Amino acid sequence: MMCNRSHSTQLYLDVPSTCLPIIYSPVYNITFMGLEKLHPFDSGKWGKVIHFLKEEKLISDGSIVEAREATEEDLLVVHTKRYLNRLKWSLVVATITEIPPLLFLPNFLVQRRVLRPLRTQTGGTIMAGKLAVDRGWAINVGGGFHHCSSDKGGGFCAYADITLAIKFLFERVEGISRATIIDLDAHQGNGHERDFLDDRRVFIMDVYNRYIYPGDGYAKRAIKRAIKRKVELDWGTEDDEYLQKVELHLEGALNEVRSDIIVYNAGTDVLDGDPLGGLAISPQGIVRRDEIVFRAARRRGIPILMVTSGGYQKKTARIIADSIINLRCQGLIGGDEDGEVPEECAGGVTLMMSSSDSSPSCVSPGPAPNTI
């Protein structure tokens, strides 16, 4: 049930029940004269994830939800006007995205080719929040800009999509008054930690490499005020230790407070060989990690919203897709409320169901470097 709206938004429209709560738009992908290649982040990975999911017949063009761009009014739910005005300077955007040549480009081009994709991913995360409450789960194939706070961007994060999704739910959806953020990206999620400092409605568990960006001492020192459960990892942490710590602290976090929504920041920069993450988790370890989180949410009946966040190797997109496919095979997403393994996954086969071409369309009508 919806609460009173503070402004009119196009991000909380009803979605046909035939659509999977997987949110994406081709606008997510950043391509601009090769400048995007100056950052180690694969700025086309989101489209590759969708391609792999289509190959496995988990989705079709008409079976997922098309993300809408967050408007300035939407962004002002969290961001200050001053911060949004600063993004009209190409130098500021070049600093946040760590792509120095952007400072030489007219801002209207930077807005169109860089910030619009990030605003659309941000809109996707906000949309996924409501869908998660409605359906029990939702996955935004993009998003997870956990270094951005209300008045400061950084690490390729220009908009605070996690904070926005939670604030939208608190303000607009009846019965949503407590949230838990499970941040398993290799980097500390200092943006949402600063935004929810001293906010007792939000419980944050953050598992990250203690030696890498951002090293936000203020958020770290504000233990129990910002990060309620902090798990700092060493260089080269491997599967066994990592998964043991994730499962132990996840159970502790979800038992410590009963939340109405889980926001899961599922960064894949924990992957062995990632140039920025510094950890040594296998692809199978990442798939298992995501299953642990979704299974814990399902067991407690808590809606879960997943965003994909960081990951700086070409194989990252394949791993994200494999993880989503595994969640489907385990009956943790895709409408199998009884949790049974779908027939098409029996024997380890990962061929997914596809929607009929005649199903209703879910496309919305239109109106090192520091990193995520």
Side-chain angles (χ1 to χ4, degrees), residues 85-101:
N85 283 337
R86 291 185 66 232
L87 295 179
K88 296 174 183 176
W89 293 89
S90 296
L91 172 61
V92 172
V93 181
T95 302
I96 290 172
T97 60
E98 296 155 349
I99 305 176

Side-chain angles (χ1 to χ4, degrees), residues 88-326:
K88 296 174 183 176
W89 293 89
S90 296
L91 172 61
V92 172
V93 181
T95 302
I96 290 172
T97 60
E98 296 155 349
I99 305 176
L102 290 181
L103 70 90
F104 299 110
L105 299 177
N107 190 258
F108 78 90
L109 286 177
V110 173
Q111 292 286 332
R112 182 186 307 163
R113 304 306 294 271
V114 179
L115 291 181
R116 182 178 174 231
L118 300 183
R119 285 194 297 269
T120 304
Q121 291 192 43
T122 297
T125 301
I126 296 169
M127 294 168 70
K130 181 176 184 296
L131 276 169
V133 173
D134 292 343
R135 306 287 187 85
W137 66 276
I139 297 172
N140 182 14
V141 173
F145 304 131
H146 64 161
H147 297 311
C148 187
S149 60
S150 62
D151 59 357
K152 184 178 181 181
F156 207 77
C157 302
Y159 302 106
D161 66 319
I162 291 175
T163 305
L164 279 158
I166 292 172
K167 289 286 184 74
F168 263 69
L169 288 170
F170 283 170
E171 292 179 5
R172 295 168 180 268
V173 180
E174 187 174 342
I176 306 298
S177 59
R178 297 185 70 88
T180 291
I181 299 172
I182 305 295
D183 195 333
L184 301 187
D185 186 275
H187 300 81
Q188 176 196 359
N190 60 318
H192 57 70
E193 287 160 6
R194 285 175 171 263
D195 283 337
F196 291 117
L197 189 69
D198 290 327
D199 190 332
R200 296 185 178 182
R201 300 173 299 172
V202 180
F203 186 103
I204 299 174
M205 168 181 154
D206 199 351
V207 182
Y208 56 88
N209 183 338
R210 71 175 75 214
Y211 299 110
I212 61 174
Y213 177 86
D216 190 333
Y218 179 75
K220 286 185 181 184
R221 287 191 299 272
I223 188 71
K224 297 300 181 185
R225 295 176 58 210
I227 313 173
K228 306 300 192 298
R229 190 172 282 255
K230 177 175 68 173
V231 184
E232 296 189 321
L233 303 174
D234 292 320
W235 292 107
T237 298
E238 297 181 348
D239 285 17
D240 288 347
E241 178 187 352
Y242 178 72
L243 293 174
Q244 182 181 34
K245 286 183 175 179
V246 165
E247 189 159 22
L248 174 68
H249 288 281
L250 175 67
E251 290 296 319
L254 297 181
N255 289 338
E256 187 169 338
V257 59
R258 170 70 190 195
S259 287
D260 304 306
I261 183 77
I262 294 170
V263 179
Y264 173 35
N265 197 48
T268 47
D269 50 3
V270 299
L271 182 66
D272 187 19
D274 189 280
L276 302 181
L279 303 177
I281 310 307
S282 70
Q284 296 79 9
I286 291 174
V287 171
R288 174 64 182 145
R289 175 199 70 176
D290 295 350
E291 181 184 331
I292 288 170
V293 176
F294 270 76
R295 198 172 293 283
R298 166 67 71 91
R299 216 167 37 239
R300 291 168 173 81
I302 306 173
I304 181 168
L305 153 61
M306 171 176 154
V307 289
T308 58
S309 203
Y312 311 98
Q313 299 183 70
K314 294 299 181 183
K315 54 188 173 183
T316 290
R318 178 75 255 185
I319 295 169
I320 295 170
D322 285 346
S323 181
I324 294 171
I325 290 165
N326 179 66

